[in-house]
Amino acid sequence: MKIAVYGSRRQDGHLPEIEAFMKRLGETGQEVVMHPKLYKYLRGSMLQSLGAVRRVTDVSDFTADVAVSIGGDGTFLRTAMWLGGQDIPIVGINTGHLGYMTALGVDSLVSLPDLLQSGNMQTERRGLIEVVSPSLPTWPFALNEVTVSKDDSASMITTRAMLDGELLADYRADGLIVATATGSTAYNLSVGGPIIEPRTPVWVISPIAAHALTMRPLVVSDCSALTLCPDARAEHFRLSVDGRSVSLPVGTEVSLRRADFEVKVLHVPGSSFSETLRNKLHWGVD
């Protein structure tokens, strides 16, 4: 089995678990592809344990049977970007905070090679948003959300939203979030948007600090074509795609559509989204 490994470089408290994981990969005869930033970070403290690493690369010109993301949800998003749309399933190991997309805690890392070889992990497919606009970030796809927001110096922006070619609304707010079902527990949740079961084929449109109480979050089909055109007193607004942001002139149209590929997410047998919500949000805890 060939395994691609991506991880956050803020792992000082988890190096023993990562070292045991890398040793186990070597013991079980796995071939490893690793991102260079992680390799450079680990090389200084566990060079002898990196014997399974056969290739180090920051571009998606490789093949793998599975990818392992070591970090939090932000690391998981960067892992998907590193894979570049390849049909490689990702399993997340949580060394961050909430970790909605991660399947296992760091204590389970050493047993992961055996779990992967067992073939018992469950696969979910998650849709992405493709962004069409000038001067986009290198990877114009969002697994979590796309956000248009005011520049720091601006007081407000007005974002005209067209849904399938028809005027939906002029949102007067600090910004507007378009989240996937996967991203409903991220920025969308923090502004009062609904939590969506991640396999549901919808987007959530949520204003940020709307200037009218009637401007509420809206759930639409992810088959929709959505066009956003921000206007403001300032000359620029900010476009963010899963946290990667660029500054664009006001009046620039941003078109959103469902990407023509999906991300495969691996889960341990018996896990569920309901269980994740109970554990992460402490529902039902006295």
Side-chain angles (χ1 to χ4, degrees):
M1 178 179 289
K2 182 181 288 188
I3 298 176
V5 181
Y6 187 101
S8 166
R9 288 169 290 167
R10 293 182 292 274
Q11 305 287 357
D12 290 350
H14 306 293
L15 289 177
E17 292 90 345
I18 296 174
E19 184 171 18
F21 169 62
M22 296 307 303
K23 287 181 178 178
R24 186 60 184 155
L25 288 176
E27 291 169 354
T28 54
Q30 313 305 321
E31 181 180 345
V32 177
V33 179
M34 185 174 285
H35 193 275
K37 290 183 178 179
L38 179 63
Y39 184 82
K40 182 179 179 180
Y41 169 74
L42 297 179
R43 185 178 58 189
S45 59
M46 59 180 73
L47 180 59
Q48 291 184 347
S49 301
L50 300 179
V53 178
R54 293 292 180 266
R55 186 174 179 195
V56 178
T57 180
D58 60 353
V59 294
S60 58
D61 60 343
F62 59 86
T63 60
D65 299 298
V66 66
V68 179
S69 174
I70 306 173
D73 285 343
T75 303
F76 195 99
L77 297 175
R78 290 188 291 274
T79 303
M81 182 172 64
W82 178 47
L83 298 179
Q86 296 188 81
D87 196 32
I88 299 173
I90 308 172
V91 56
I93 303 296
N94 186 27
T95 62
H97 298 291
L98 288 175
Y100 285 101
M101 289 184 283
T102 53
L104 296 167
V106 69
D107 293 341
S108 302
L109 188 54
V110 67
S111 62
L112 181 59
D114 301 286
L115 182 58
L116 292 173
Q117 286 191 305
S118 72
N120 291 328
M121 298 198 73
Q122 301 168 338
T123 304
E124 285 185 2
R125 290 183 172 271
R126 306 288 182 88
L128 300 94
I129 301 173
E130 181 178 3
V131 186
V132 180
S133 190
S135 304
L136 286 174
T138 305
W139 177 250
F141 300 97
L143 182 58
N144 265 2
E145 77 273 316
V146 177
T147 304
V148 295
S149 58
K150 65 178 185 177
D151 259 359
D152 292 339
S153 60
S155 58
M156 183 186 70
I157 64 172
T158 299
T159 303
R160 171 155 290 193
M162 305 289 294
L163 184 65
D164 294 327
E166 182 179 353
L167 176 63
L168 174 62
D170 289 328
Y171 289 92
R172 300 181 69 222
D174 287 353
L176 193 66
I177 301 166
V178 181
T180 65
T182 297
S184 68
T185 50
Y187 197 1
N188 166 74
L189 181 61
S190 72
V191 301
I195 297 174
I196 306 293
E197 205 281 331
R199 294 171 299 181
T200 310
V202 297
W203 295 340
V204 185
I205 305 172
S206 296
I208 305 168
H211 286 233
L213 292 177
T214 54
M215 287 294 188
R216 312 305 300 171
L218 175 68
V219 178
V220 300
S221 168
D222 69 356
C223 293
S224 303
L226 184 63
T227 301
L228 308 177
C229 187
D231 191 16
R233 294 177 183 175
E235 295 182 354
H236 293 84
F237 70 96
R238 188 150 295 277
L239 169 67
S240 297
V241 182
D242 275 352
R244 306 179 305 277
S245 64
V246 293
S247 180
L248 296 176
V250 296
T252 302
E253 286 193 351
V254 178
S255 297
L256 310 180
R257 62 194 181 199
R258 182 184 174 98
D260 60 3
F261 67 95
E262 296 174 312
V263 169
K264 288 182 178 179
V265 181
L266 290 181
H267 294 286
V268 294
S271 65
S272 68
F273 186 60
S274 299
E275 180 185 25
T276 299
L277 291 180
R278 289 197 308 273
N279 292 337
K280 304 296 184 180
L281 300 181
H282 305 291
W283 288 359
V285 176
D286 295 332

